[in-house]
Amino acid sequence: MSPAMAKPFEPRGVWPALATPFSGDGRLDLDAYARLVRFTIDEGVTGIVPCGTTGESPTLSWEEHDALVAKASEVAGDAAGVLAGTGSNNTSEAIRGTEDALRLGASAALVVDCYYNGPSSLELRTEYYERVLKAVPDIPLVPYVIPGRTGCALSAEDLAMLHLGDPARVPAVKQATGDLDRMRTDRRLCGPGLAIMSGDDDLTLPMMNDPGIRASGVISVMGNLVPRALSELVATRAAGDVGKAGEIAAQISPLLKIVGVRAHTTRELPDGRSLRVEDKFRNPVPLKTMMAGLGMIGSYCRRPLGPMTRPAVEVCRGALREVWETAPRFLQPIEEHYDVSIEARLADAAFWPAR
């Protein structure tokens, strides 16, 4: 697919941050990936996001990255946009990934703040984002601000410099700070032209409702599981129906609350002592556990991510069961697309292994 055929980037609606399916020995499962892309597009999403955090981007080789972006672009065609994750903690690698995303037909590039090495916001703007913009001039960039993962953050002031300096090149931001005041500052400094996309499923509606933020959509983890529900939620709220959007959010709230899962278990020390500890399993481990339990993809995550404990698995299973019992229409598309019985899979512990 040539860059000229890429669907123009529309920073609105729902963009699932696609999970990356692997085989049991850790290789890419491109057939399962293509099926997931088709599922989300059939359920009405605006676009898809290959190679984001949910797609385990830090553990993908660049060859794997290119294969996933190419497959996403091929399957999406002109039916949905492709926002390819291309960020790194190395500017030259981010340039390389963004060049490849353009070549492979992506609509835009999602560029995360540099992780681990901790640049200042000034350095992020001048030595990272501006260098990628200059090196790859023919594709829009979406900064991705998520300090909980990266340990640094592009400031609202530097975001405004990027956006106002070239609104067409920096049309949107993925906001995953969890800080509504910061988002209001983004809006105040950048003006109405910047699209603010939620990076947290459970904050999407509050961000859309807040007149100081006016978010236009979400780059979503749970868009892998309930793309239709989230698309309805965002479209309904964008049309002004606050009440209906709130009803949908309430119906799927058990899932929106468990992008990460905390659960207690016991450690047995070599000297015989038992200690009660809390484990925190972060995205995409709970998501992939649920997708595997429902028969959508395999459960394998790239190490060091691995299986969850039994209490954590049961949190995921319980959330799915709650949505299935109260709002089954939002999970029924999985049955239709993947030829599974959700009732049977939720009932059978064999589909829900744990460490």
Side-chain angles (χ1 to χ4, degrees):
M1 185 176 186
S2 69
M5 296 173 62
K7 185 177 175 65
F9 178 55
E10 299 178 80
R12 60 169 185 82
V14 175
W15 292 71
L18 297 172
T20 300
F22 297 106
S23 62
D25 59 2
R27 293 175 297 158
L28 293 184
D29 186 342
L30 289 177
D31 289 339
Y33 194 69
R35 193 173 188 181
L36 177 60
V37 171
R38 285 192 293 270
F39 168 64
T40 60
I41 292 174
D42 287 350
E43 291 303 299
V45 302
T46 305
I48 52 176
V49 182
C51 307
T53 305
T54 306
E56 298 172 76
S57 56
T59 57
L60 297 174
S61 71
W62 282 112
E63 291 73 23
E64 291 171 325
H65 174 280
D66 291 351
L68 291 166
V69 175
K71 180 60 69 175
S73 299
E74 172 194 335
V75 176
D78 62 1
V82 176
L83 175 61
T86 66
S88 173
N89 63 349
N90 180 327
T91 299
S92 64
E93 286 193 356
I95 290 170
R96 185 251 198 231
T98 305
E99 288 174 337
D100 286 350
L102 173 64
R103 173 176 56 84
L104 295 168
S107 310
L110 180 67
V111 184
V112 69
D113 288 348
C114 298
Y115 40 87
Y116 188 78
N117 46 24
S120 66
S121 179
L122 173 64
E123 291 165 310
L124 281 170
R125 176 172 61 82
T126 60
E127 305 302 328
Y128 184 58
Y129 288 108
E130 287 180 353
R131 289 181 180 270
V132 179
L133 285 164
K134 182 177 180 180
V136 196
D138 296 321
I139 188 170
L141 300 188
V142 178
Y144 175 11
V145 187
I146 182 167
R149 291 273 189 171
T150 63
C152 63
L154 182 71
S155 70
E157 294 81 4
D158 284 310
L159 172 64
M161 291 186 72
L162 292 172
H163 170 69
L164 295 174
D166 195 339
R169 293 295 315 284
V170 186
V173 63
K174 179 181 178 183
Q175 246 292 0
T177 62
D179 183 345
L180 298 182
D181 285 336
R182 157 63 202 265
M183 299 176 205
R184 295 181 191 112
T185 304
D186 290 344
R187 174 63 68 215
R188 179 171 56 82
L189 295 181
C190 293
L194 179 75
I196 298 177
M197 301 289 288
S198 172
D200 296 296
D201 283 327
D202 61 339
L203 288 181
T204 302
L205 189 55
M207 288 171 62
M208 295 186 76
N209 285 340
D210 192 312
I213 300 172
R214 303 192 305 280
S216 57
V218 59
I219 297 172
S220 170
V221 174
M222 289 302 157
N224 288 272
L225 275 173
V226 285
R228 174 65 63 184
L230 285 161
S231 295
E232 287 185 13
L233 185 158
V234 172
T236 299
R237 179 59 188 87
D241 193 337
V242 179
K244 181 62 175 177
E247 290 175 14
I248 297 171
Q251 289 173 321
I252 60 174
S253 65
L255 296 178
L256 302 186
K257 294 175 182 175
I258 60 166
V259 170
V261 172
R262 295 177 184 268
H264 288 91
T265 189
T266 301
R267 301 278 200 278
E268 300 288 343
L269 297 185
D271 64 7
R273 286 179 293 169
S274 294
L275 302 175
R276 181 173 169 81
V277 298
E278 181 183 71
D279 295 304
K280 179 182 179 181
F281 299 99
R282 301 180 73 176
N283 178 46
V285 178
L287 171 70
K288 293 187 87 171
T289 297
M290 291 187 286
M291 294 177 75
L294 296 181
M296 300 174 70
I297 62 172
S299 62
Y300 184 91
C301 292
R302 281 273 167 87
R303 302 317 186 230
L305 301 182
M308 296 198 297
T309 59
R310 171 57 56 194
V313 170
E314 291 307 315
V315 170
C316 296
R317 190 177 174 191
L320 285 167
R321 187 179 291 115
E322 186 175 351
V323 173
W324 180 245
E325 290 172 353
T326 60
R329 74 181 184 93
F330 292 134
L331 291 172
Q332 283 168 344
I334 296 173
E335 290 192 313
E336 297 159 9
H337 192 87
Y338 285 92
D339 193 24
V340 296
S341 165
I342 289 178
E343 186 76 33
R345 295 190 76 94
L346 287 175
D348 190 342
F351 293 120
W352 304 91
R355 71 164 67 239

